[in-house]
Amino acid sequence: MPVISAPHSFNEGELFVDLESIFGCRLYLKCEGFNFAGSIKLKAANEMVESAERDGSLTPDSILVESSSGNLGVALSMIAASKGHRFLCVTDPRCNLSTKLLMEALGSQVHVVTDLDTNGGFLGTRLEYVRALCASDERYVWLSQYTNAGNWRAHYRTTAPEIAGQFPRLDVLFLGTGTAGTLMGCARYFRQWHRPVRIVAVDSVGSVAFGGKPGRRMIPGLGMSMRPPLLDDSYVDEVIRVEEADTIRTCHRLARRGFLFGGSTGTVVSAASDWLARHDRNDLTAVAVAPDLGERYLDTIYQTNWLQDLYGEHLLDSARLDTASWDEESAARTPGPHERP
């Protein structure tokens, strides 16, 4: 049993769930939510904070500031509280209430922007606020998860080797894309591995991370209203975009089997099960990464009124969650334009 003195010292990295009995395909889900921050963002947060401490940009007088839709904000709040730093998270109305309350409980300040940017999202507005804040007071230190190499290095050093250690015959890896930190860290690692691994990036419909038109996105986590500066398309073999309705149905299908995951996980699993159904290869070893658990989404994707108001009352009809209906929908979908042979 581990004994720790700092909350970021514990992070379970070797837990995988076999989803074959739920989705009818050989898919292993790497669970990243079992740490005190509750998500995969603890890895990037820890790497970026320690790097800033080492290079001297983060001092006892500094005030950490970061733009986050939720999970990174919680991770930085936890680390800041542990290390005695002050932290201000700049977020937007899509941030789950429980996430905002968590950050405040950990002693952080939370600022919510409400104006949309030119792409119809909030990211541009959040970044403008952070830049203005840093220009107004030199004590503010912006780690910038969108451009900080520590974001992808964290997953190159931890997430990817954890997957490789459990699945030495890995064939295909499904990774959600937000800042592209997890995607790029794992993709760079497996590009140098002893066998080829197909890297499938998963994005939300309405995100412009890989191009296309911006659209409404109500679930925080995956997707961007700009191209992620860390993204290098040359490491990506294929892109799959998932409708939020499919994300929600996947989350509820998992919950009906006792697994309560977050929205990003629903998106990635929806894409992965679709891809595997279309390729019909039982000999493939496939892994998807689950960024977080579902407790922070109880007032959104697991809340009936919220779902009905945004997506209609028939979204979760039982017939749409059973296996036959699921296979029918998966077969009808088409891959994104980035697919490579």
Side-chain angles (χ1 to χ4, degrees):
M1 179 179 71
V3 177
I4 63 172
S5 58
H8 49 281
S9 298
F10 173 76
N11 194 354
E12 173 57 60
E14 297 184 355
L15 177 63
F16 294 80
V17 177
D18 184 347
L19 296 181
E20 185 169 9
S21 65
I22 303 176
F23 293 97
C25 55
R26 289 186 57 196
L27 177 64
Y28 300 97
L29 185 64
K30 187 180 193 305
C31 300
E32 289 283 349
F34 292 96
N35 57 58
F36 283 96
S39 81
I40 196 171
K41 289 293 188 177
L42 175 61
K43 293 175 173 178
N46 196 41
E47 179 80 20
M48 292 189 295
V49 168
E50 291 191 346
S51 178
E53 289 176 331
R54 285 193 302 269
D55 67 25
S57 59
L58 181 58
T59 70
D61 294 326
S62 300
I63 305 172
L64 278 170
V65 61
E66 186 56 83
S67 159
S68 170
S69 62
N71 282 336
L72 183 72
V74 173
L76 286 173
S77 294
M78 187 195 76
I79 293 172
S82 175
K83 291 175 173 283
H85 295 302
R86 286 174 290 176
F87 173 56
L88 168 63
C89 181
V90 180
T91 189
D92 60 63
R94 293 182 308 171
C95 178
N96 297 326
L97 176 60
S98 58
T99 299
K100 180 177 180 291
L101 294 175
L102 266 173
M103 290 188 279
E104 291 175 338
L106 289 164
S108 298
Q109 288 183 284
V110 180
H111 177 82
V112 181
V113 304
T114 56
D115 295 331
L116 294 171
D117 60 27
T118 55
N119 283 323
F122 293 99
L123 179 56
T125 310
R126 285 175 10 206
L127 297 183
E128 285 179 12
Y129 186 88
V130 172
R131 292 189 184 102
L133 203 62
C134 292
S136 70
D137 191 332
E138 63 182 12
R139 292 178 301 168
Y140 285 103
V141 174
W142 181 22
L143 297 176
S144 185
Q145 61 166 324
Y146 311 101
T147 59
N148 194 319
N151 189 345
W152 68 261
R153 276 201 308 265
H155 302 289
Y156 183 92
R157 294 193 308 102
T158 60
T159 309
E162 289 162 359
I163 295 169
Q166 294 292 320
F167 298 96
R169 302 296 295 175
L170 180 67
D171 293 298
V172 56
L173 180 60
F174 299 91
L175 299 157
T177 308
T179 63
T182 306
L183 172 65
M184 296 313 304
C186 292
R188 284 188 168 96
Y189 181 92
F190 284 109
R191 177 65 62 88
Q192 303 168 348
W193 210 36
H194 67 90
R195 60 183 275 118
V197 174
R198 188 170 187 84
I199 300 297
V200 180
V202 180
D203 198 10
S204 301
V205 170
S207 164
V208 300
F210 293 93
K213 294 181 179 179
R216 185 188 76 164
R217 291 181 295 116
M218 301 304 298
I219 302 173
L222 300 188
M224 292 272 278
S225 56
M226 68 177 189
R227 178 181 172 84
L230 295 176
L231 178 62
D232 183 343
D233 290 276
S234 68
Y235 287 91
V236 178
D237 296 302
E238 185 175 347
V239 177
I240 298 177
R241 294 178 174 86
V242 177
E243 295 278 0
E244 286 191 335
D246 292 319
T247 291
I248 293 163
R249 282 193 285 267
T250 302
C251 286
H252 281 259
R253 190 174 183 187
L254 286 162
R256 289 186 179 193
R257 299 297 292 272
F259 293 106
L260 196 71
F261 284 105
S264 298
T265 299
T267 305
V268 174
V269 172
S270 176
S273 58
D274 172 27
W275 191 96
L276 291 167
R278 287 188 287 107
H279 287 77
D280 193 26
R281 291 275 303 277
N282 290 326
D283 59 327
L284 290 176
T285 299
V287 171
V289 174
D292 61 2
L293 302 178
E295 290 91 341
R296 294 174 193 170
Y297 301 82
L298 293 177
D299 57 347
T300 54
I301 62 178
Y302 294 107
Q303 212 282 327
T304 302
N305 291 338
W306 188 87
L307 291 177
Q308 289 181 348
D309 288 346
L310 291 172
Y311 304 97
E313 60 181 13
H314 299 297
L315 175 69
L316 296 179
D317 285 352
S318 296
R320 304 197 72 179
L321 290 177
D322 67 21
T323 304
S325 176
W326 191 275
D327 291 342
E328 229 174 71
E329 290 180 13
S330 294
R333 283 197 228 160
T334 56
H338 285 71
E339 181 171 0
R340 296 173 186 169

